[in-house]
Amino acid sequence: MFENLVNQPAAKLISQDIKNNKFARTVLFYGNDATGKLSAALETARVFSCTGSKKGVWTCECPSCLRHKSLICSNLLLLGPRDCSLEISAAKDSFTRAYRDNASFLNATRYLFLRSVRKLTLRFSAILLSGDNNISKIGSVLEEINDNLELLDFPRELPPFDEAVKICEALEKLSFKLESDFLYDSVPINQIRNMEEWAHIKSEEGKKTIIIENADRMQTGVRNALLKILEEPPEDCIFILLTSNKNAIMQTILSRVRPYNFKKRNLEGEQNVIKRVFHNEYFNGEISDYLQTFLPVPSSKLKEESEKFYNQITHGQIPETAAFVKECGNFEPRIELKIFLSHILNQQKKLLKDQTGCEASVQTVKVIQNAWENVTLYNLSVTSALEILVRDISKINITYGRILCADM
């Protein structure tokens, strides 16, 4: 088991605990981004539902394992925000290259692409969306995605290469729309309530698994609602919380979970993952760097534009936000906005040299975070969110004696 989790020591410990019947019903997988936490959680769900004679091996072809490997299983719920778009683009690239070259690993990349899309669509389960105001709009996008996925799914024969490429491009575009327009940046409380109701319905096959990604981003009311079910989890349910920021998890939740630390791989380990998962033999950087090569607007361009944007504000100018949005491809997919804002965060770190600068930095970080939340939580347009950011940073600059444009 966990053969698909590459260069991650946590896999061995999880495997041992499962084999020795010591795996807790509520666990926390924590560690840096791109360390395999979600892959491990999905594999754990498969293992606990496996009905094969050699329980848990990746090659098992029992009906339950086949459904889990395709991520079309009925006893799995996946909640929480995630930037799925770059992984989908990278998986699409791997699959289309393998199909073009008739590579021996074609089926592996086919699974990779299908799973990358379903890692997103699983978060829009009808169970979770019950009562959501956007359910009809989400449903129409999901229907298009599922219709296209069916054309590439096993055991169907693949369509001709050119047609398959068009299907992949359509899936990529639809997935970007689903993520940008409808994926919440934190778990809504109604999804926790819907999940709790589902968790108490007895499973027909194996254990139910509930995975909550980026669990540290939950609001206080949502955390309290989750805490209630973690205190007395249903007998046939496993809860797996994922986070890159363990310290942000509420202490009362931490006290109820068994933690597993996912360590950052060294550069050789990262490159091995890229070779084995994405079948790219030539990229020499880290996984995050590789994924960013699939940004519609290059990261270097986003950095350049963010520097212009910030410098104009700090020198008393009013940036034309609509022009910046257009230059950055309307920040689609949404991760481009996160990268743009992260570069602004890096620029303001120059303030951290004295007490006044630190105070100004605290305020600047807060308004940058507000800009992100205005888009992701409150559905404000990116242009409007950046206009508010311009106003707020300008105000901080004036309040602290134009410290942001001082020669530092």
Side-chain angles (χ1 to χ4, degrees), residues 249-391:
I249 301 289
M250 192 163 67
Q251 188 58 44
T252 45
I253 290 180
L254 284 177
S255 66
R256 286 166 173 78
V257 296
R258 160 77 161 93
Y260 293 88
N261 183 11
F262 282 68
K263 297 180 180 179
K264 181 175 174 58
R265 304 175 181 93
N266 59 27
L267 182 58
E268 182 180 354
E270 295 265 294
Q271 291 172 353
N272 190 29
V273 172
I274 294 169
K275 290 176 183 177
R276 288 186 56 180
V277 176
F278 296 103
H279 297 276
N280 187 307
E281 300 285 335
Y282 307 106
F283 190 81
N284 294 320
E286 297 184 350
I287 296 170
S288 59
D289 297 326
Y290 178 69
L291 293 177
Q292 287 196 14
T293 65
F294 294 94
L295 285 167
V297 177
S299 181
S300 57
K301 174 69 172 176
L302 295 171
K303 181 180 180 181
E304 177 187 336
E305 293 302 315
S306 73
E307 289 174 350
K308 290 180 186 176
F309 181 80
Y310 184 71
N311 286 335
Q312 286 182 21
I313 301 171
T314 57
H315 287 82
Q317 301 173 39
I318 305 296
E320 189 179 342
T321 53
F324 277 95
V325 171
K326 183 178 180 180
E327 197 68 28
C328 294
N330 297 316
F331 293 105
E332 295 177 358
R334 192 168 59 185
I335 191 174
E336 291 187 347
L337 177 61
K338 180 184 289 187
I339 294 169
F340 181 88
L341 294 174
S342 70
H343 286 310
I344 297 177
L345 280 173
N346 288 334
Q347 292 175 76
Q348 66 83 40
K349 287 180 181 178
K350 298 174 183 177
L351 296 170
L352 301 174
K353 66 173 184 176
D354 55 32
Q355 182 175 344
T356 302
C358 288
E359 291 174 2
S361 176
V362 168
Q363 296 302 316
T364 305
V365 170
K366 187 180 298 184
V367 299
I368 293 170
Q369 180 62 33
N370 288 344
W372 174 251
E373 292 179 352
N374 280 336
V375 174
T376 58
L377 294 182
Y378 303 112
N379 295 320
L380 211 61
S381 71
V382 176
T383 300
S384 297
L386 291 182
E387 287 173 351
I388 293 171
L389 181 60
V390 169
R391 180 200 67 192

Side-chain angles (χ1 to χ4, degrees), residues 214-234:
N214 287 302
D216 53 285
R217 298 189 198 174
M218 292 186 291
Q219 303 297 314
T220 302
V222 180
R223 294 177 185 181
N224 291 334
L226 176 63
L227 181 61
K228 291 179 182 178
I229 191 170
L230 293 184
E231 288 174 343
E232 294 184 29

Side-chain angles (χ1 to χ4, degrees), residues 38 57 111 148 173 187 271 283 319:
L38 180 57
V57 296
Y111 261 123
N148 279 284
K173 184 176 181 180
V187 180
Q271 291 172 353
F283 190 81

Side-chain angles (χ1 to χ4, degrees), residues 1-8 10-16 18-19 23 29 36-48 56-58 240 262 276:
M1 61 181 73
F2 295 94
E3 297 95 329
N4 63 334
L5 192 57
V6 183
N7 296 114
Q8 182 47 255
K12 184 177 181 180
L13 181 57
I14 297 169
S15 297
Q16 289 174 342
I18 292 174
K19 290 176 181 177
F23 192 82
F29 293 174
K37 298 186 295 295
L38 180 57
S39 295
L42 293 171
E43 181 68 349
T44 301
R46 184 187 70 81
V47 169
F48 274 104
V57 296
W58 177 251
I240 305 177
F262 282 68
R276 288 186 56 180

Side-chain angles (χ1 to χ4, degrees), residues 79-91:
L79 299 78
R82 178 184 176 87
D83 296 317
C84 300
S85 54
L86 296 187
E87 182 180 347
I88 290 170
S89 295

